[in-house]
Amino acid sequence: MRHLLVFRFLLTGCLSLLAISWGHAQTLFVQRSAQGLYGYSPTPGHDGFVIPPRFQKAFPFMRSGYAKVMEAGRWGLIDSKGKFVLPPQYDYIGWADDYYWIDYRRHGNVADGSLQQDSYNQLIGFVQNGLWGLVHIPTGKVVLPAQYDAIRYPQSGLLAIGKRQGKDTLWGLHTLKNKVVLPLQYHFMQSVERGKYWIVGKRQASGKWLFGAIDFKGKVIWDIAFQGLRFEQGFWLVRRQSRWQAYQEQTLTPHFGGRAWDALHIVDAAHAIVQESGRWGVCDAQGRLLLPLQYRAIYAIHDKRYRVAPFPEWQFYDERGEQQAVLCLADIFPVDAQLLAYSLDGRSGFLSPGGKLLTPPQYEYIQPVGDGLCLVRDSSGCYVLNRAFERITPPADSVRTDLPGFFSVYKEGQWALYDANKKQLIPFGAYEDIRPFHFERFAVKQKGQWGIMDRLSRWVVAPRFDSLLAYVPPYWIVQVEQKQGLYSEAAQQWMVEPAADSLLLLSRYACLIKQNHDWQLLRLPQGEPGGKVHEWKQLNQDLYLVRYGGHEGVFNRLGQWIIEPLYERILGLSQDGIFTVYHEGKYGLVSNTGEWLLPLRPFGALGLAQQGLVPVREGSSWGFVSTRGNKRISTRYGDVKPFSEGLAAVQIAGKWGFIDTWETLRIQPRYAEAESFQAGTAIVKYQDKWGVINKEGKTVVPFEYDSIERLPGGWWLVSKANQQGIVDTQGIERLHTDYEQVVLLNEQIVVVKQQGHWGLLRMDGFMLAAPVFDSYKHDTASGLLSFKRELPWQTIDLTD
């Protein structure tokens, strides 16, 4: 009895000392000194160090009472007094599943203790010379020599050991005494239930993974034959053919009615959260749905209470305002007027504008490419579908569309070309790329060089170029050794040798060549130089404005000079097709064919010609001259605007009115601002408010708006106090100024924004879709309007 009391006393004392030591270690915090070294203080932010700052890096103390520190670039282990129990001689101390070890690029100190695994039964892993071993902390004795590529934190007394063989790391199980339980044979190994079971996996020659399970003794529970394997809440979850089933832990018999699901999460033995075709629900032990498959996300509060997230609500309308469908899906976008695409849980499918699901969400993605065609990818590969879901191209590794109606198809190292009618224009061959530039000409790369093929897959030009950049029949812009040139496929010769830095084809009759920072105009096919250019910009489809030597000019796409680059400024091109030219204090007019209508004359200023008359300034007053320079309206106005529809806005004594071409004052000068007439009306400002008048000066839209903009069909977008509305051609406010934004689609319907949300109205004010939507889109190709709103999370109690 006496011996027992002594033993109890000694045991109590040892436990007390251990508790004191552990408690002391728990109250120590990593602190950084002014010199950048780490030590330990009794409180956070405390300047007084219990363990002096002498470490380059330091972890918080573990529950075992030890802390990992780095000194002189090596890791060691200290106790709560700062004494080394394992000297700093290791590349690392810990386990291969420590966060800090895995994220080896992390710099600086580690202040979060959750990033590390503790020691196990006074054992801890170490790294020397890049290999892992196991050491006994109190004695420093090496239990496992450093000969492994990874050692994970032990589970149920077993170590997962990894050793690299070739490009793979193979895993096995050892006891703490280095007895082999399972030899190195798995590419994947993860413990579940604290080491009671191990999920193991092997990567197949095809690159795909298969998984199985063993217990801690190495006994096989599940053969390595499954796409996925998990353990949850006492159930095995097994994935076959992309579907999950649940099995009881002990009997391995099917549960939840034996049903297979796209995804499955166990709540308890009687409830599971399940997914089918991208939608989530809840089922009971027999597989019966307690919550229907209609939610974007579900999580369990407890077995009878769930938080659910509905999918966004989508409403579709045509351009007449008729509702086509109301749908709840993750995302929807039009393919064309007869077909929509949708997505659910990262997968995509097709549906009709009426909301009927035409395909399940079986595609990885859907990308519309025009004319009712879509680029899709599924388990068979990438290919193009038409709106009847017929394959235009065969399944392949990738499909690219560089030109509408043509598809470059890549499969198993070979390329082919198809058109939108399923016709194979270029059969699969040992090509490195195919790019269509024209419906009859295709660039084809072979053995590192590009050539040109026709629709019959015949070589027009054999591969000889580094790159093909553009095509204007019969010329190609090509690249050879980083230089560009112009090649004629008809003449089979260079029109411009590949020596240019850049080259632009204007037409089959002219091109621009850049060399040494300057551009040169070249006329084709003779190759005749047309002049040098420093800068240029395109004015319209036919004309280019250029600058050279501080002067400006204009040439056309045929390479013909309309205006030689001899003048200081080209002020603009009017709607009448006349250029206004300025040079050395003089102004002139040139037609878009190059005819000088008005030679340079010393005007004060000259505007753009409109309807045969040109604004002109003499001194501080404005008037008008003809395009030949004859004075037509005296220069006696404070300002003028070009003629439009027979009237011009003129300023008299600070107010704006309108005159006709005979200088008759048609509308009295009473407006603070005035715009030119369009379609018989002009927007004008009177006493700080905007309105609209007609050519008789009568008010069409009353002067009560802060701003007015023209809309198609003679309608007006008006605003008051930052709120918008619509006024019709008769000046009637068809839509009151109650909206933050208004988008007129046609004379029947309008999209409005109110209090940050979008809605749809008929022009008679009837509400088609209340302004409750977060966003809207108008797809002009399909003519469909889509409105989307996010629906809030809900709580559902199955006992209600």
Side-chain angles (χ1 to χ4, degrees):
M1 185 67 170
R2 180 184 176 191
H3 292 295
L4 180 60
L5 289 173
V6 171
F7 173 75
R8 290 179 61 186
F9 173 78
L10 292 173
L11 178 61
T12 303
C14 290
L15 290 174
S16 299
L17 288 172
L18 181 60
I20 292 170
S21 175
W22 163 236
H24 176 63
Q26 279 291 87
T27 59
L28 296 181
F29 297 89
V30 178
Q31 296 289 351
R32 187 174 184 228
S33 70
Q35 291 73 33
L37 296 177
Y38 293 89
Y40 293 84
S41 297
T43 57
H46 196 274
D47 292 334
F49 287 93
V50 175
I51 299 176
R54 65 179 193 272
F55 308 115
Q56 294 169 293
K57 295 181 182 179
F59 274 92
F61 273 89
M62 299 180 285
R63 292 186 60 84
S64 59
Y66 303 119
K68 291 184 274 190
V69 295
M70 178 187 282
E71 190 175 86
R74 311 293 287 173
W75 287 92
L77 210 60
I78 62 170
D79 61 17
S80 59
K81 295 180 180 180
K83 180 181 177 182
F84 274 106
V85 292
L86 287 178
Q89 62 184 16
Y90 304 102
D91 297 347
Y92 184 67
I93 291 179
W95 307 97
D97 39 7
D98 281 354
Y99 179 84
Y100 183 78
W101 175 257
I102 295 170
D103 186 13
Y104 59 88
R105 294 168 295 181
R106 181 185 173 98
H107 298 294
N109 192 55
V110 180
D112 188 354
S114 67
L115 302 180
Q116 60 178 333
Q117 298 276 11
D118 204 342
S119 61
Y120 183 88
N121 290 351
Q122 297 292 311
L123 297 172
I124 197 164
F126 68 89
V127 181
Q128 280 187 329
N129 300 321
L131 295 176
W132 286 82
L134 195 65
V135 63
H136 183 245
I137 297 172
T139 63
K141 181 181 177 181
V142 173
V143 178
L144 292 179
Q147 60 184 5
Y148 303 102
D149 290 294
I151 297 179
R152 288 182 178 164
Y153 186 77
Q155 300 287 350
S156 298
L158 296 178
L159 291 165
I161 302 292
K163 194 166 182 61
R164 182 167 291 278
Q165 293 188 7
K167 295 182 179 180
D168 296 319
T169 298
L170 296 182
W171 293 87
L173 285 179
H174 287 211
T175 67
L176 296 176
K177 295 182 179 180
N178 205 19
K179 179 182 178 181
V180 176
V181 177
L182 282 175
L184 301 170
Q185 58 181 306
Y186 302 109
H187 296 110
F188 173 86
M189 178 172 282
Q190 179 183 357
S191 67
V192 294
E193 291 293 282
R194 297 190 176 185
K196 183 178 179 181
Y197 305 114
W198 294 80
I199 295 176
V200 294
K202 289 186 177 181
R203 186 173 57 250
Q204 309 301 297
S206 62
K208 295 182 179 180
W209 284 81
L210 293 177
F211 297 93
I214 58 175
D215 65 13
F216 69 97
K217 295 181 180 179
K219 179 183 176 182
V220 174
I221 300 172
W222 293 99
D223 291 329
I224 298 178
F226 304 102
Q227 294 174 318
L229 196 64
R230 303 200 318 267
F231 189 87
E232 286 183 13
Q233 306 287 341
F235 291 90
W236 288 103
L237 302 184
V238 176
R239 187 170 185 248
R240 302 183 187 91
Q241 298 178 349
S242 302
R243 308 271 287 174
W244 291 89
Q245 283 182 278
Y247 292 83
Q248 296 180 14
E249 176 184 6
Q250 302 299 331
T251 62
L252 302 184
T253 55
H255 200 66
F256 299 109
R259 291 186 62 175
W261 307 90
D262 292 345
L264 174 65
H265 298 290
I266 307 297
V267 178
D268 57 26
H271 302 86
I273 299 172
V274 295
Q275 186 199 60
E276 187 79 55
S277 296
R279 306 184 189 204
W280 292 90
V282 175
C283 76
D284 64 11
Q286 287 72 45
R288 297 173 299 200
L289 287 170
L290 304 175
L291 283 180
L293 295 163
Q294 64 182 39
Y295 299 102
R296 180 177 58 182
I298 299 179
Y299 73 85
I301 301 173
H302 54 69
D303 60 339
K304 297 292 185 180
R305 194 173 177 84
Y306 297 86
R307 288 284 287 168
V308 300
F311 281 101
E313 178 187 321
W314 295 78
Q315 292 192 17
F316 283 83
Y317 295 81
D318 63 19
E319 291 179 333
R320 296 170 298 182
E322 295 182 3
Q323 189 178 77
Q324 301 297 299
V326 178
L327 303 166
C328 288
L329 294 165
D331 191 19
I332 306 176
F333 51 93
V335 174
D336 60 18
Q338 290 80 42
L339 192 63
L340 303 175
Y342 70 92
S343 67
L344 279 174
D345 196 40
R347 308 287 290 183
S348 300
F350 292 98
L351 53 87
S352 70
K356 180 182 178 181
L357 291 182
L358 302 176
T359 70
Q362 65 194 53
Y363 305 103
E364 294 177 24
Y365 64 77
I366 296 174
Q367 177 187 338
V369 293
D371 295 327
L373 302 176
C374 288
L375 182 62
V376 303
R377 179 180 288 277
D378 60 17
S379 58
S380 67
C382 183
Y383 51 93
V384 178
L385 285 180
N386 62 19
R387 64 171 59 93
F389 309 124
E390 299 170 330
R391 289 180 176 178
I392 302 299
T393 65
D397 299 331
S398 68
V399 178
R400 195 180 65 236
T401 174
D402 298 308
L403 186 69
F406 294 89
F407 306 101
S408 302
V409 180
Y410 176 76
K411 183 177 182 180
E412 297 176 356
Q414 295 189 328
W415 286 87
L417 185 68
Y418 288 77
D419 66 13
N421 298 317
K422 306 183 189 179
K423 184 178 180 181
Q424 188 185 63
L425 302 176
I426 300 178
F428 281 101
Y431 308 120
E432 293 151 29
D433 203 351
I434 297 176
R435 292 183 181 273
F437 279 81
H438 184 269
F439 69 94
E440 288 188 343
R441 289 295 182 268
F442 317 118
V444 180
K445 188 177 184 181
Q446 191 175 53
K447 296 181 180 180
Q449 297 288 296
W450 288 87
I452 304 162
M453 276 190 177
D454 63 14
R455 293 180 65 89
L456 300 177
S457 67
R458 299 175 302 194
W459 288 109
V460 177
V461 179
R464 54 179 296 191
F465 309 115
D466 294 344
S467 184
L468 290 165
L469 305 178
Y471 178 58
V472 176
Y475 302 121
W476 288 85
I477 297 179
V478 303
Q479 183 167 299
V480 177
E481 297 180 356
Q482 305 301 314
K483 294 294 184 179
Q484 295 182 16
L486 193 66
Y487 189 84
S488 170
E489 68 172 44
Q492 293 284 306
Q493 66 180 22
W494 291 103
M495 306 305 295
V496 176
E497 292 290 335
D501 300 323
S502 185
L503 199 150
L504 175 71
L505 263 173
L506 305 178
S507 67
R508 63 185 301 174
Y509 303 104
C511 67
L512 281 170
I513 302 169
K514 185 178 183 181
Q515 284 181 308
N516 301 323
H517 309 292
D518 284 338
W519 291 87
Q520 171 82 31
L521 178 63
L522 197 69
R523 298 189 181 99
L524 302 173
Q526 295 85 3
E528 174 190 348
K532 291 185 177 181
V533 175
H534 284 155
E535 302 175 58
W536 60 271
K537 72 174 182 179
Q538 191 165 2
L539 296 176
N540 55 35
Q541 187 175 356
D542 295 313
L543 298 173
Y544 295 81
L545 176 66
V546 301
R547 176 175 284 272
Y548 180 73
H551 293 82
E552 293 183 350
V554 177
F555 64 76
N556 63 21
R557 61 192 299 266
L558 302 179
Q560 300 167 336
W561 286 102
I562 305 301
I563 303 174
E564 294 281 346
L566 303 172
Y567 307 97
E568 292 181 33
R569 289 186 62 195
I570 307 296
L571 297 178
L573 176 65
S574 73
Q575 294 179 0
D576 290 357
I578 298 174
F579 290 97
T580 300
V581 181
Y582 171 79
H583 186 66
E584 296 179 348
K586 299 179 180 180
Y587 294 83
L589 299 175
V590 182
S591 74
N592 56 12
T593 61
E595 178 188 359
W596 275 93
L597 304 175
L598 174 61
L600 292 170
R601 285 171 52 178
F603 298 110
L606 197 67
L608 297 180
Q610 294 276 101
Q611 299 183 352
L613 295 175
V614 190
V616 64
R617 180 170 60 83
E618 291 180 343
S620 60
S621 299
W622 287 83
F624 290 88
V625 295
S626 70
T627 56
R628 296 295 182 178
N630 299 319
K631 185 171 288 188
R632 293 288 300 274
I633 295 175
S634 299
T635 51
R636 57 183 177 180
Y637 301 101
D639 200 357
V640 299
K641 293 187 178 180
F643 271 88
S644 177
E645 299 184 358
L647 297 177
V650 296
Q651 191 182 56
I652 303 174
K655 298 294 184 179
W656 288 87
F658 290 85
I659 62 173
D660 62 18
T661 56
W662 296 98
E663 204 179 354
T664 303
L665 191 62
R666 298 287 297 275
I667 298 174
Q668 293 297 318
R670 56 194 297 260
Y671 304 107
E673 294 184 46
E675 296 181 6
S676 298
F677 271 91
Q678 294 181 40
T681 56
I683 300 173
V684 292
K685 188 177 185 180
Y686 181 70
Q687 294 183 349
D688 295 328
K689 293 296 180 181
W690 290 89
V692 178
I693 59 173
N694 62 18
K695 290 186 177 181
E696 286 72 44
K698 295 180 180 180
T699 299
V700 175
V701 176
F703 293 92
E704 55 186 62
Y705 300 104
D706 298 332
S707 69
I708 299 180
E709 296 178 23
R710 292 181 183 272
L711 293 174
W715 294 50
W716 309 93
L717 177 66
V718 297
S719 72
K720 290 181 185 177
N722 296 319
Q723 298 290 296
Q724 294 184 343
I726 290 180
V727 174
D728 67 13
T729 56
Q730 304 302 314
I732 300 172
E733 198 170 271
R734 297 288 295 273
L735 192 68
H736 296 305
T737 51
D738 297 329
Y739 304 98
E740 298 156 27
Q741 192 172 341
V742 173
V743 181
L744 179 68
L745 298 176
N746 52 51
E747 294 185 7
Q748 295 176 303
I749 58 174
V750 60
V751 176
V752 297
K753 188 178 186 181
Q754 193 172 50
Q755 296 183 351
H757 292 86
W758 295 94
L760 185 65
L761 297 181
R762 226 167 41 201
M763 287 308 302
D764 60 6
F766 182 79
M767 187 75 70
L768 298 170
V772 296
F773 296 94
D774 302 313
S775 62
Y776 90 96
K777 290 181 182 178
H778 180 209
D779 186 73
T780 55
S782 65
L784 289 176
L785 278 162
S786 61
F787 292 84
K788 176 187 177 183
R789 66 167 170 168
E790 298 288 343
L791 300 177
W793 283 78
Q794 305 168 14
T795 300
I796 297 179
D797 196 324
L798 297 180
T799 60
D800 293 342

